[in-house]
Amino acid sequence: MAGAIIENMSTKKLCIVGGILLIFQVIAFLVGGLIAPSPTTAVPYVSVKCIDVRKNHHKTKWLIPWGPNQCEKIRDLDEAMSRQIEANDIVFAVHIPLPTKEMSPWFQFILVILQLDIAFKKNNEIKENAEITLDVSLAYRDDLFSEWKEMAHAVETRKLKCTFASPKTKEHEGRHYDCDVLPFMEIGTVAHKFYLINIRLPVNERKLINVGIGEIRDVRLVGIHQNGGFTKVWFAMKTFLTPSIFIIMVWYWRRITMMTRAPVLLEKVIFALGISMTFINIPVEWFSIGFDWTWMLLFGDIRQGIFYAMLLSFWIIFCGEHMMDQNERNRLSGYWKQVGPIAVGAFCLFIFDMCERGVQLKNPFYSIWTTDVGTELAMAFIIVAGICLCLYFLFLCFMVFQVFRNISGKQSSLPAMSKARRLHYEGLIFRFKFLMLITLACAAMTIIFFIVSQVTEGHWKWGDFEVQVNSAFFTGIYGMWNLYVFALMFLYAPSHKNYGEDQSNGDVGVSSGEALQLTTTITHVDGPTEVYKLSRKEAQE
Amino acid sequence: QDFHNVTVRLGLWLNRGGRVLLAVSLWGSLALGQQYTSLGSQPILCGSIPGLVPKQLRFCRNYIEIMPSVAEGVKLGIQECQHQFRGRRWNCTTIDDSLAIFGPVLDKATRESAFVHAIASAGVAFAVTRSCAEGTSTICGCDSHHKGPPGDGWKWGGCSEDADFGVLVSREFADARENRPDARSAMNRHNNEAGRTTILDHMHLKCKCHGLSGSCEVKTCWWAQPDFRAIGDYLKDKYDSASEMVVEKHRESRGWVETLRAKYALFKPPTERDLVYYENSPNFCEPNPETGSFGTRDRMCNVTSHGIDGCDLLCCGRGHNTRTEKRKEKCHCIFHWCCYVSCQECVRIYDVHTCK
């Protein structure tokens, strides 16, 4: 890959391109910060304690916490105690959403987490490693009057991780334990307007089910969904970005195929990066508005994963191809040491995601973290992925260091070289430094924004003027990596100009022959096809 | 109307299982305490609640849906008060076991009044917030502060109920009668606000990461209400460190206005989180119908404790009686998470100490 556009572009033009990209970047941030609402909403729910008054529970009956046909309620469990209501007859009912609201497909997903309010009682403490067994069912309906239809039913166990801050004495009875929130449910599409969750805590003394779990006062749920407004802005952005990246990708590939030589590895990798970016961009999520495709969440994860893996591989290969040593690379197999960890890490995360979100397609209440084996397995996958990532960054840093070392070595010997050779190396160095600079800038932006969005409150307010920092982070960073890929494909596409042509004084003859010779030994044949060259010459005349 | 005789009066309904509807005027003087019984199925009649000022009546009629939570909140506050003061000379006693009427204790601008006001207004904010999360009332915060057709704001930007609405209700309702320019109103307003501020301060942020493979790339946070006991503990601390004030009179365009100023310039002036009072508490040792003190006679005391619940202090130096009591008790219990305890019965012998 010699003679990319970036080398032959005048500084003025480069500045113009940079300026345009910067404008788009600012727009991307502003779209998120000013137009979009915050990305997600969390709605806290407190379950209503209903009594299932029927004699036998053969047929499932849905207990509704409020509205018409609401269930018979009890205020607290002392009341149940005095009325001798059995545990199996108590149903914790939660209606999603709250009254006067309805859910919408634009919400994309619902994630529900569970929080238990457990009061400390001297003679009814939570046992060590206590597990709570929940008999949960989920139903939906699309208007306020039709029957509830079952969506899922499962018996799930969750580990209680509770601490009690005060000394465990009589005086502190009634105080609540501090319990970790538990994963409860995740659904990948919101195809219905109303959802109903019924939770039972069945007791079976013989099998030690729900024994020693303390005095549960309340079951709270928190429902998290993506905001409709954010989804719309996001879709709009994707819909706009898809053709932009796609067009530049086609243009890029056309340039490469126009050359006499076969495309080199780096060109292929940049093209692959473009493909994976387009793959993320294609707004297939539009279908989730009309169809009940629960796998969309998983699919989104996979697409993101592919892009990240591609981006990381690209950095490695880019460094490798600019190494300026005499080694012949240009083959993917030459990078197995560095790309290997990426593949392994990505694969681990893929397996982990399949185990979590994949199984959730079948059973929305499933979570890999609830069992010991599952937790260990999940941790193993994540740790392996983490090690791979560390390994990768070590390799990357080492390679960058090597490149810089070679650059400084070459720079000292540059004046002594012939012009074509010097230009070739200067081009390589410039290309590398330029990418290094924008990559670092992008990575730094990502990290800074990530930290800012983690530590701040999510939105900044000046009077009536409100900026959604979190949304700006998502749209801005997403836009940024799109622009990055765009710029990469545009600036690193093979140039039609020759090195010589840059020297304006008609000094063409300096030795395109020598340049050709050199590049074949060092990297590869550059330049456009002869036909193209001729037609260009003609045009110039 | 005697301003000092009536403090805050909230309607308290205890609607239990549709059996009895008990409407009691809260924090009123003894004379105004009335009990109503009627069928539980009947809707709440705002007019039948004694002691509501017109503003409260209007509020009650407009927001009839959340009135049960308001009542529940008051009850919660009083229960917490009784828990916090269980071993003390004044133990947040209410007359008639109906949780509602304190008698004349609250007529004076004492620490006790300050605490009861704070905990009850906190209780209202707490209970209303909770009922909003239960979905039992439909007029909670989200709809009111979003413009446009109903539901659109929710679909575009979402909205989650937090404590703001509960605090708003508490402010509207409990402060409704505290609009006079006198010192007592100022004190009540301050203490009510302190209770509500405590609720807001104790909300804690909980977060969940749910990005790619569960990473924190996407993180969503929400405000969770604390255990009400934590509110009680905090306000109890504030009771112990309450600031004594003096009343100052100013001449303003609308007439004389009474304001409060910290009595001791040496101490830090009270913040909005501190409780304030300007009259000293009676010692609550002897019964006194004027102050509302029931005295500590026949109260059980702890003979081993040197604290306020110990026999020396609680009995005000009058000494105590000791008797031995045999009690049948449940023991070796096996608990289920709910509703069912299997126990054996044991007989235990206790020494019971009561104040002379």
Side-chain angles (χ1 to χ4, degrees), chain A residues 40 102 115 175 205 218 229, chain B residues 130 154 156 206 220 233 336:
Chain A
T40 52
E102 53 186 52
Q115 188 164 25
R175 213 175 276 273
E205 220 166 304
D218 265 314
Chain B
R130 192 195 144 93
W154 154 256
W156 176 267
K206 293 215 165 189
T220 306
D233 289 345
H336 304 266

Side-chain angles (χ1 to χ4, degrees), chain A residues 37 40 42 46 66 75 85 90 99-100 102 113 115 123-124 175-176 201 203 205 218 227-229 353 454, chain B residues 72 130 133-135 143 154-158 160 206 212-213 216-217 219-220 222 227 233 335-339:
Chain A
T40 52
V46 175
W66 43 260
R75 195 164 287 281
I85 297 162
I90 295 184
T100 70
E102 53 186 52
I113 42 197
Q115 188 164 25
N123 48 17
N124 188 13
R175 213 175 276 273
H176 289 184
L201 304 178
V203 172
E205 220 166 304
D218 265 314
N227 281 326
D353 223 55
Q454 293 287 312
Chain B
E72 181 68 22
R130 192 195 144 93
E134 271 178 351
D143 292 322
W154 154 256
K155 277 188 185 161
W156 176 267
S160 54
K206 293 215 165 189
L212 182 66
S213 296
C216 275
E217 183 193 2
K219 194 171 82 173
T220 306
W222 66 94
D227 182 7
D233 289 345
F335 281 85
H336 304 266
W337 74 267
C338 164
C339 320

